[in-house]
Amino acid sequence: MDYLAGLNPSQRAAVEQTEGPVMIVAGAGSGKTRVITYRVAHLVRRGVDPFNILVLTFTNKAAKEMRERIMKVVGNEAKNIWMGTFHSVFAKILRVEAEHIGYPRNFTIYDTDDSKSLIRSILKEMQLDDKLYNAGFVYNRISSAKNNLISAQEYLNNDQVQAEDYSNGRGQLGQIYLTFTQRCYKAGAMDFDDLLFKTNVLFREFPEVLHRYQHKFKYLMVDEYQDTNFSQYLIVRKLAAINENICVVGDDAQSIYAFRGANIQNILNFEKDYSDLKVFKLEQNYRSTQNIVNAANSIIANNQNQLKKSVFSENETGEKIKVCRAFSDNEEGKIVAEAIAQERSLKGWNYRDFAILYRTNAQSRAMEEALRKISIPYKIYGGTSFYQRKEIKDLIAYFRLTFNPNDEEAIKRVINYPRRGIGDTTVDRILIAADKHQLTLWDVISNAATYLDGRSAGAVGIFATMIQGFQVVAKGHSAFDAAMHIAQHSGLLKDLYQDKSVEGLSRYENIQELLNGIKEFSEREDIEEKGLDVFMQDIALLTNDDNDKNPNADTVSLMTIHSSKGLEFPHVFIVGLEENLFPSQLSLNSRSELEEERRLFYVAVTRAEKKLTLSYATSRYRWGTLNNCEPSRFLDELNPAYLELDFKARTTPESTASFADERQAWGQRDMFTKPKPKVAPKTTAILPKAHTPSPGFAPSDTSGLQVGMEVEHERFGFGKVINLEGNKNDVKATIFFKELGQKQLLLKFAKLRIVG
């Protein structure tokens, strides 16, 4: 029986080319894993010793899956193949060779928390401001240096790097890096990045060791090559230098990890390293419908820096891609949740057939709340539920303490976060005093001078006064104003803002999103009581972890697009397709950044098997202020032949405009010049006619607004006031607009021009 019979011609050609340098450009859904496993199995079937084969992956899951598939073809010999992640394989080598570089064979591997803890100790010893030298920021700086093979001493000796650090007020980063390296060495420990950094040192300093492994690994295969960094690239190149039997597999169109140090040039320039390179392109997509594949092609065609390929599908044509527009992120969540409920009811789909993808973790809040409201079970993939995230729980703990100062768990969580000089010893003294005198913790804290002494009493007293101040503010202010006051004056916002790492920015965005939710709660019309205490009662039900723990449970999957790579679902929703959100505002400074964002969109689209829905909101809260949003440029780049615009009752059949027309009507300009799309000519999309504000449009003082007056809104157009309610700063106007019908607006945010 021909075990290669199930491969298509391109796949089979790639499998059978076992000698010399090979690059397999594998489009989305093209059977990449199948080709890698069959290629390794083919080597073994041809007589290659499995001990001489090295296969490098990026996840343990991928390595496990490949080995199991190979075993089905070659049996237990598959167990002898060197296969695993970069870090696991080279940790194994370092265990054997560690003494060459002065480490014990049983060296410890520090995880991220271990490394950050050590950094915090060093900062304390050096008496450095841990706000300026945030442990997360320092860790990422050291990690970036190691991934670029810059040692601590080289870091200190680089005048340009030193000048940059000093100009940013962080002139001691190099010394911290050096001390960190010395302490790790003294402890016989390597951090995660050291596993690659030290392997490069080993191969550079001890050529006889490199020579031994070059002859051991006669055949190398690297999966997801587009995700390799400089350190990984150099290791692979050195190991393959003798035999040059190297095969890299990947897709430049799915290179989305630059923030982790991945360098797309490794795959784009691979041919420059090997003049006799043979390239195979896997272009048939077995995953998605023709409409989805063709739409994805129309997106990625806009990238200039890429390896050209023509991905196609022979699956069914499939439904067109639905594009939905919402007036807010909460409405967007409602649209998605209702679509899932309807699809499941009408077509008999399971909840696990659906996935909701977003650009940032903060976007999960609106989706989670909408799903909960109609009892749709879900799970957060690759992360925790919005209300279970540490930063959210920290701020909520302050809220809880404001209304119930006897809440011991809330006290323990925030009494020294952000740091305010109340260490573990002081907390222990509070616990002892409370137990001795049969008091609550708050009784001791609020009378610190009686039960504690010296500096401890002073720091604890300041904390108590702060909480008491929060209690006063909460009684006399709206939920949002009270929440913002607590977030600011607790020091939590400042602490998160100063952490400029990827994780720090995400945590800061999550706090912003929580405050956005509180702002929307403050403006709800279906409830009378809108204090922060009522909001807390509302979300108490949401914070209960009642999701099914069974990984095979029938639940909707929620995740960032980065987390979705390698996965697939029958029906995918991509939400938040707005400028400055997706593409991210942080990724519009150069063409290379914008092209990575476009690749991220391509990855998202190609996760869908049967059906794809895209959505965006025309307004979204940021720090309690409702901002207008414009549709993402990526929507313009999709060939409209594959789209179905679903704007329901808001659509006016007589008006036509493209997404670009909407942006132009709002007075928006692209922050980056787009290349001309290499797609079919655009057809017009059916959208509500955008209102062009009158020349010299300027909002009027609406304090004297009366029922019956004619007004103009810069987006909604002309209308008549038909009702006014509320008082002072919370007056709400009901206005009938000629183009859009009846809407309710808060006057303090509405920006209306009184016409007459």
Side-chain angles (χ1 to χ4, degrees), residues 350-353 377-379 547-557:
N350 297 309
Y351 285 126
R352 60 176 168 269
D353 295 329
Y378 67 89
K379 63 179 178 181
N547 290 334
D548 195 334
K549 296 299 183 183
N550 183 351
N552 297 316
D554 190 20
T555 56
V556 175
S557 296

Side-chain angles (χ1 to χ4, degrees), residues 251-436:
D251 182 6
D252 59 297
Q254 297 186 66
S255 178
I256 58 174
Y257 294 118
F259 67 94
R260 294 183 188 168
N263 188 349
I264 192 175
Q265 298 304 320
N266 290 351
I267 192 168
L268 294 179
N269 296 329
F270 191 67
E271 192 169 1
K272 295 181 179 179
D273 291 335
Y274 303 96
S275 57
D276 57 340
L277 178 70
K278 291 182 172 59
V279 179
F280 299 90
K281 296 182 179 180
L282 308 183
E283 297 173 309
Q284 183 171 354
N285 181 303
Y286 291 93
R287 174 189 302 152
S288 307
T289 64
Q290 293 180 29
N291 269 327
I292 292 172
V293 170
N294 292 338
N297 288 342
S298 71
I299 298 160
I300 206 64
N302 290 277
N303 272 11
Q304 295 182 0
N305 203 15
Q306 63 174 300
L307 299 171
K308 295 296 183 183
K309 56 185 175 298
S310 300
V311 179
F312 66 95
S313 172
E314 293 183 353
N315 295 339
E316 60 183 339
T317 302
E319 298 182 41
K320 288 189 175 184
I321 297 169
K322 186 174 290 187
V323 181
C324 299
R325 186 194 60 188
F327 279 169
S328 69
D329 50 351
N330 272 4
E331 188 188 33
E332 183 182 39
K334 182 180 179 182
I335 290 171
V336 171
E338 289 178 348
I340 292 173
Q342 184 178 36
E343 195 91 353
R344 182 173 178 270
S345 175
L346 295 178
K347 297 186 178 179
W349 289 26
N350 297 309
Y351 285 126
R352 60 176 168 269
D353 295 329
F354 299 92
I356 304 173
L357 311 183
Y358 33 77
R359 180 63 180 84
T360 65
N361 275 311
Q363 291 170 257
S364 78
R365 179 194 62 81
M367 297 297 139
E368 287 189 69
E369 292 182 0
L371 293 171
R372 284 179 180 270
K373 283 179 181 177
I374 56 176
S375 301
I376 293 179
Y378 67 89
K379 63 179 178 181
I380 302 291
Y381 188 98
T384 56
S385 172
F386 182 86
Y387 288 104
Q388 292 299 314
R389 291 169 184 151
K390 178 187 180 300
E391 60 277 14
I392 300 300
K393 294 182 75 172
D394 289 339
L395 184 52
I396 288 177
Y398 275 109
F399 296 164
R400 284 164 49 187
L401 204 51
T402 298
F403 295 102
N404 179 16
N406 292 324
D407 187 331
E408 290 193 11
E409 290 305 311
I411 289 174
K412 292 176 183 177
R413 188 174 188 95
V414 300
I415 191 168
N416 199 38
Y417 177 71
R419 293 185 182 181
R420 51 176 61 91
I422 305 175
D424 292 342
T425 301
T426 300
V427 173
D428 288 341
R429 288 173 181 167
I430 294 171
L431 291 168
I432 292 169
D435 182 65
K436 179 180 179 181

Side-chain angles (χ1 to χ4, degrees), residues 162-185:
Q162 291 301 298
E164 179 185 343
D165 285 349
Y166 274 98
S167 68
N168 292 327
R170 297 187 178 95
Q172 295 301 309
L173 278 173
Q175 187 58 49
I176 297 170
Y177 183 11
L178 180 61
T179 305
F180 178 82
T181 301
Q182 292 169 341
R183 293 279 284 274
C184 285
Y185 182 78

Side-chain angles (χ1 to χ4, degrees), residues 208-225:
E208 71 278 11
V209 175
L210 172 61
H211 185 264
R212 185 162 68 251
Y213 286 100
Q214 285 173 331
H215 284 80
K216 175 178 178 60
F217 299 131
K218 296 178 180 178
Y219 293 87
L220 275 74
M221 289 194 69
V222 185
D223 189 19
E224 304 285 9
Y225 190 67

Side-chain angles (χ1 to χ4, degrees), residues 474-584:
K475 288 180 181 178
H477 293 78
S478 70
F480 174 74
D481 290 338
M484 180 62 84
H485 178 91
I486 294 170
Q488 291 174 333
H489 290 82
S490 65
L492 187 147
L493 262 186
K494 181 180 179 182
D495 186 69
L496 293 176
Y497 180 76
Q498 290 177 333
D499 184 357
K500 301 300 184 183
S501 66
V502 173
E503 295 84 359
L505 289 171
S506 178
R507 288 191 287 268
Y508 186 71
E509 289 174 351
N510 288 338
I511 291 295
Q512 172 188 327
E513 190 63 16
L514 175 62
L515 293 170
N516 289 343
I518 298 173
K519 179 67 173 182
E520 292 167 355
F521 169 83
S522 299
E523 297 177 355
R524 282 174 56 181
E525 296 305 310
D526 57 334
I527 55 174
E528 293 184 6
E529 296 293 329
K530 301 178 183 178
L532 185 57
D533 55 336
V534 180
F535 176 81
M536 292 298 295
Q537 296 169 22
D538 213 15
I539 67 166
L541 299 174
L542 301 181
T543 56
N544 291 331
D545 189 11
D546 54 2
N547 290 334
D548 195 334
K549 296 299 183 183
N550 183 351
N552 297 316
D554 190 20
T555 56
V556 175
S557 296
L558 277 69
M559 67 191 77
T560 64
I561 301 170
H562 281 101
S563 297
S564 75
K565 190 167 180 289
L567 302 176
E568 55 191 44
F569 302 90
H571 190 168
V572 170
F573 294 84
I574 306 174
V575 300
L577 276 161
E578 299 141 33
E579 282 292 296
N580 300 324
L581 180 56
F582 194 19
S584 167

Side-chain angles (χ1 to χ4, degrees), residues 34-80:
R34 182 182 180 87
V35 169
I36 295 173
T37 54
Y38 272 86
R39 193 172 190 275
V40 175
H42 189 59
L43 285 169
V44 177
R45 291 286 289 262
R46 288 183 59 252
V48 175
D49 189 336
F51 285 100
N52 295 143
I53 301 173
L54 172 61
V55 182
L56 297 170
T57 68
F58 272 82
T59 66
N60 290 313
K61 178 183 175 183
K64 182 175 181 291
E65 180 184 348
M66 288 179 191
R67 193 183 300 276
E68 289 173 351
R69 290 195 190 186
I70 295 168
M71 286 183 67
K72 292 179 180 179
V73 181
V74 302
N76 287 334
E77 279 293 297
K79 296 179 180 179
N80 299 324

